[in-house]
Amino acid sequence: MTLLLVAVGIVAWIEFSPPRFDHDRVYRIGYGQDAPLHFQNADGQPAGLAVDLVQESARRQGIKLAWHHLEEMGQNDIDLWVLKSVIPDRPSTLYHTEPYLQAESCFLVRADSPVRDLPDLLDGRISFVNYRIHRDTLPRLLASFKPVPTESSRDAVDAMLSGRSDAAYIDQYTLFATLLDGEQVALRVLPTRSPTRNMALGARKPSAAVADAIRSGMQSMVADGSLEKLMQKWIFFPNMTANIIGDIVEKQHRIRWLWTGVTILTLLLLVAVALAVVAQRRKSEWRRSQKKYRELHESMTDAFVRFDLDGRINDINPAFCELVGYTESELLERTDRELTPPAWHTREEDRRQNQIVLRGYSDVHEKEYRHKDGTVFPVESRAFLLRDESGRPAGWWEIVRDITDRRQAEAERGRLREQLAQSQKMEVVGRLAGGVAHDFNNMLQAILGNASLALLDLPADSPARESLQEIRSAADRSVALTRQLLTFARRQATAPKVLDLNEAIERTLQLVRRLIGEGVQLAWQPGAGVWPVRIDPSQLDQILTNLCVNARDAVNGTGRITLETCNVILDPAFCAAHPGIQSGDFVRLSVSDNGTGMTPEVLAHIFEPFYTTKEMNQGTGLGLATVYGIVTQNQGAITVASTPGEGSTFRVFLPRHATTSAPAATPAEQKPSPGRGHETILLVEDEAQVLRVSKMMLDGLGYQVLVAATPAEALRIAEASVDPIHLLLTDVIMPGLNGRELAEQLRVRHPAMKCVFMSGYDAKVIAPHGILEDEVNFLQKPFSAEDLAAKIRAALT
């Protein structure tokens, strides 16, 4: 008995005696930057929940502390750390007191983020405080991610808000502090649980006693209510173990008294107390589990609903009420079939019997729900079987997610894929046209040039004259077809001018009336004050003639075609549906007819090259494709509206040209008269046939012609020439030097020399050489003797 009392006394002395420490020493304690737990305030002083808690406890225990920010002092100079996460491998190097706070981290995203669940974050950017606990925990939660380490939780949140990360991984102290700070951006917490961390006062092992003394001092703060006031000072955290200090105090007291009781009382009493402790712990765990379930249930952003086996609703969360528009009381009186459109009833019953009941869960599947206001919307759901206490099926619960936005996004992706396919199709045709244009145009130049020269030498009654005319006519059609292909592909060389659209159209109306015939009425309705546009006049003629001819064919003999112009302002929504243009001021040209109209199937292909609804040999299928190419080349857009039997309307949008100068005169007003000359021309062309026929044309016009097959030969001829060279007529793309470089070198010796450039390549090839600028004279191959004469006289005069 005496030995038992001695043992009890020793145990009581060990358990209840306070820890010993040096009251005269000032202990150095470190803190970091992790608001609201511990951080440096604007005055440079330590602040935070953990700081206040440790500071007050040390004051009560008579312990002197000197606070040091960890950025200002090395780790080796610190005796204590205000807050350390308790992890398994730290006790070997660091002493921890009993925990005095608990933290559970979570993933925080913007409310408009597409991230809805943890798998959505795979390979995403995660910002977090660069602590070891987070570096160890995150890989267990996410198999792969891109780390964005930061200096503090606040920095991690800021990284998410600024878009540098997709989600912030922070503890819930920081979460609620962020929400109560009044962030201007709506935030959302992912429904994902992270392991709970215990946090304690850390110390070097020689300072363990003072750490325990501070931890013991916290116990008195529970009893007198100062802990509660301190918690209220900083923030209230719903899922934080606010009374952990008090709980541990009670737990320690209980363990100590039980240990003393074991020594004093019988083994039976020990077993009874142990059973009571287990029962109490299970009860507390059950209560905590219920609380966590309710918090999760109410805070879930996805809708949750529970049904019995007859499909009656017996539990929902607020998100489900918001999803379908009913109140909780209204939903508890309804069934699954009442919320689901009838078209889904058979499939839902099959899913219930063959998936939920048979195997205990369903596949993730898409269905539809009906909102209270009657609208039907798509959802994605997955169901899990519920069983009663005896293991029999009792119902099921479902997680439901509105996928309206996803469906719209998929439709938008489909539309963009179609646009991309159309763009790629056009690019293929453009590359094909551009690839053959140079050689084909050179051959056509030789054919046209020789035919024209032969016609000049033949008498009017020569039998060969008709054959040569047919050759020239066929070559002219080939030229038109090649240019039409290049125009469609946006590779045709152009000479844009600032035009008054109304005046330009009026000058073309006579031609259009001849094209459409007398049986079709042409109505011209010009808008008032139409803004100027910048476009090649010949391209505008192509737009008008192609659209009007297309309308003439649609009215089939008799009918009405209406031309209208007006100013419009295109908004971003319109521009988003027509890639390649920007919102702003545009001039709209409308061409309407009251013809047969088009079906949706025809409209889907209307601008594709070589697509035509006309009979064989009635059209090439390039007319509308050419219009499309011209409009897009000029940063505009074209739309079409048509209904079978009611006619069609094509609307062309051309950007307003911001200029204070008057619109340019039409080509007919500016074109100089072709004429003969006597000046000296240096002709440079690396294609032998084109060189020969071009020289013959120039000889026929009376010019003195020097010929060179290469740029190097041209330089030698110019160097040797005593007389001035008045004009250089050169190909653009040649071996050694291009036409522009050759002209620059020749002007050193002949500074007054004029230049005319020619090329069979398309615009995209020659544009980088600076040949398509407004002030440069350019001839697109193939060209006629008349075109050559006019261009040379224009350059010389």
Side-chain angles (χ1 to χ4, degrees), residues 53 56-57 60 99-100 215-231 241-250 253:
L53 185 58
E56 175 59 19
S57 176
R60 294 186 179 203
Y100 66 92
R215 177 62 180 83
S216 298
M218 295 180 188
Q219 299 170 4
S220 62
M221 299 173 65
V222 178
D224 63 14
S226 58
L227 175 64
E228 182 179 356
K229 293 179 181 178
L230 190 59
M231 300 296 290
T241 309
N243 294 321
I244 180 174
I245 298 174
D247 291 345
I248 292 178
V249 172
E250 294 173 3
H253 287 169

Side-chain angles (χ1 to χ4, degrees), residues 115-316:
V115 175
R116 293 289 178 180
D117 206 347
L118 195 59
D120 295 340
L121 285 176
L122 285 175
D123 298 324
R125 299 167 299 169
I126 310 299
S127 54
F128 58 94
V129 186
N130 194 16
Y131 290 161
R132 178 181 174 185
I133 185 69
H134 297 152
R135 295 196 300 268
D136 291 346
T137 303
L138 275 171
R140 298 199 297 270
L141 298 175
L142 289 171
S144 63
F145 66 98
K146 298 180 180 65
V148 183
T150 63
E151 295 298 323
S152 68
S153 296
R154 180 67 251 185
D155 291 342
V157 174
D158 289 341
M160 179 270 296
L161 292 175
S162 64
R164 289 184 287 113
S165 70
D166 301 310
Y169 182 69
I170 57 173
D171 62 68
Q172 292 185 356
Y173 296 89
T174 305
L175 166 64
F176 284 95
T178 299
L179 296 178
L180 292 183
D181 275 347
E183 290 292 345
Q184 298 302 310
V185 178
L187 303 174
R188 176 162 44 85
V189 180
L190 296 189
T192 305
R193 298 202 68 80
S194 181
T196 299
R197 292 184 287 119
N198 288 329
M199 295 187 290
L201 186 65
R204 297 199 178 280
K205 294 192 175 181
S207 302
V210 71
D212 282 338
I214 293 174
R215 177 62 180 83
S216 298
M218 295 180 188
Q219 299 170 4
S220 62
M221 299 173 65
V222 178
D224 63 14
S226 58
L227 175 64
E228 182 179 356
K229 293 179 181 178
L230 190 59
M231 300 296 290
Q232 292 175 352
K233 170 185 174 182
W234 287 101
I235 200 167
F236 173 70
F237 304 95
N239 57 349
M240 163 191 134
T241 309
N243 294 321
I244 180 174
I245 298 174
D247 291 345
I248 292 178
V249 172
E250 294 173 3
K251 177 182 175 183
Q252 289 175 337
H253 287 169
R254 185 163 58 249
I255 292 174
R256 289 168 182 170
W257 285 114
L258 286 175
W259 180 250
T260 304
V262 167
T263 309
I264 300 172
L265 303 177
T266 64
L267 182 62
L268 181 61
L269 181 59
L270 175 62
V271 172
V273 172
L275 290 174
V277 171
V278 171
Q280 182 63 28
R281 184 174 299 168
R282 288 182 176 178
K283 184 177 180 179
S284 298
E285 290 175 353
W286 179 81
R287 286 177 177 173
R288 285 195 297 270
S289 176
Q290 285 292 99
K291 181 182 178 183
K292 290 178 180 179
Y293 165 78
R294 179 51 55 186
E295 290 171 351
L296 176 63
H297 181 264
E298 294 180 355
S299 64
M300 282 175 58
T301 54
D302 285 334
F304 168 89
V305 58
R306 190 172 65 195
F307 302 95
D308 63 18
L309 283 180
D310 295 325
R312 290 189 295 268
I313 298 173
N314 52 37
D315 192 14
I316 69 277

Side-chain angles (χ1 to χ4, degrees), residues 81-100:
W81 286 265
V82 68
L83 201 63
K84 285 284 187 181
S85 295
V86 181
I87 53 178
D89 57 346
R90 276 187 174 164
S92 62
T93 58
L94 192 68
Y95 174 78
H96 286 93
T97 66
E98 287 285 339
Y100 66 92

Side-chain angles (χ1 to χ4, degrees), residues 39-96:
F39 61 98
Q40 193 172 54
N41 64 20
D43 298 328
Q45 299 300 312
L49 173 60
V51 171
D52 284 2
L53 185 58
V54 171
Q55 184 83 307
E56 175 59 19
S57 176
R59 185 190 64 79
R60 294 186 179 203
Q61 296 291 88
I63 298 171
K64 300 174 183 176
L65 297 178
W67 293 85
H68 298 277
H69 197 279
L70 293 177
E71 291 183 355
E72 304 168 354
M73 197 167 191
Q75 294 276 0
N76 295 330
D77 300 321
I78 298 296
D79 301 311
L80 306 167
W81 286 265
V82 68
L83 201 63
K84 285 284 187 181
S85 295
V86 181
I87 53 178
D89 57 346
R90 276 187 174 164
S92 62
T93 58
L94 192 68
Y95 174 78
H96 286 93

Side-chain angles (χ1 to χ4, degrees), residues 300-301 303 316-328 331 371 377 402:
M300 282 175 58
T301 54
I316 69 277
N317 70 345
F320 191 84
C321 296
E322 182 179 353
L323 179 73
V324 295
Y326 292 96
T327 64
E328 182 177 357
L331 284 171
H371 196 271
F377 60 96
D402 187 346

Side-chain angles (χ1 to χ4, degrees), residues 590-759:
S590 301
V591 180
S592 306
D593 66 72
N594 60 350
T596 57
M598 293 175 280
T599 64
E601 292 76 15
V602 173
L603 286 174
H605 305 280
I606 195 66
F607 296 118
E608 292 183 7
F610 307 114
Y611 176 80
T612 179
T613 58
K614 299 175 184 178
E615 297 179 1
M616 185 70 69
N617 299 324
Q618 296 298 312
T620 63
L622 283 174
L624 292 178
T626 299
V627 173
Y628 180 90
I630 292 172
V631 172
T632 51
Q633 185 179 18
N634 287 277
Q635 289 77 50
I638 181 169
T639 64
V640 56
S642 184
T643 303
E646 298 183 9
S648 305
T649 298
F650 287 83
R651 295 182 177 90
V652 174
F653 300 87
L654 296 175
R656 174 185 184 180
H657 181 70
T659 180
T660 57
S661 61
T666 63
E669 296 172 335
Q670 289 184 336
K671 185 176 181 180
S673 299
R676 299 174 59 81
H678 60 277
E679 291 89 350
T680 300
I681 295 177
L682 174 57
L683 172 64
V684 187
E685 169 62 62
D686 60 338
E687 182 67 37
Q689 290 181 320
V690 178
L691 179 66
R692 184 181 66 82
V693 74
S694 298
K695 182 181 185 305
M696 292 172 66
M697 287 180 178
L698 293 171
D699 288 339
L701 293 170
Y703 294 104
Q704 303 299 316
V705 185
L706 305 174
V707 296
T710 65
E713 185 180 354
L715 290 172
R716 288 195 298 270
I717 291 173
E719 184 69 26
S721 176
V722 177
D723 298 326
I725 296 176
H726 299 96
L727 184 137
L728 170 68
L729 175 61
T730 179
D731 196 8
V732 176
I733 308 298
M734 296 180 293
L737 295 174
N738 64 49
R740 188 85 182 217
E741 294 168 340
L742 174 62
E744 290 172 355
Q745 293 193 25
L746 289 176
R747 280 201 177 104
V748 174
R749 182 171 180 81
H750 301 274
M753 181 186 69
K754 306 296 185 181
C755 293
V756 173
F757 298 96
M758 57 183 177
S759 180

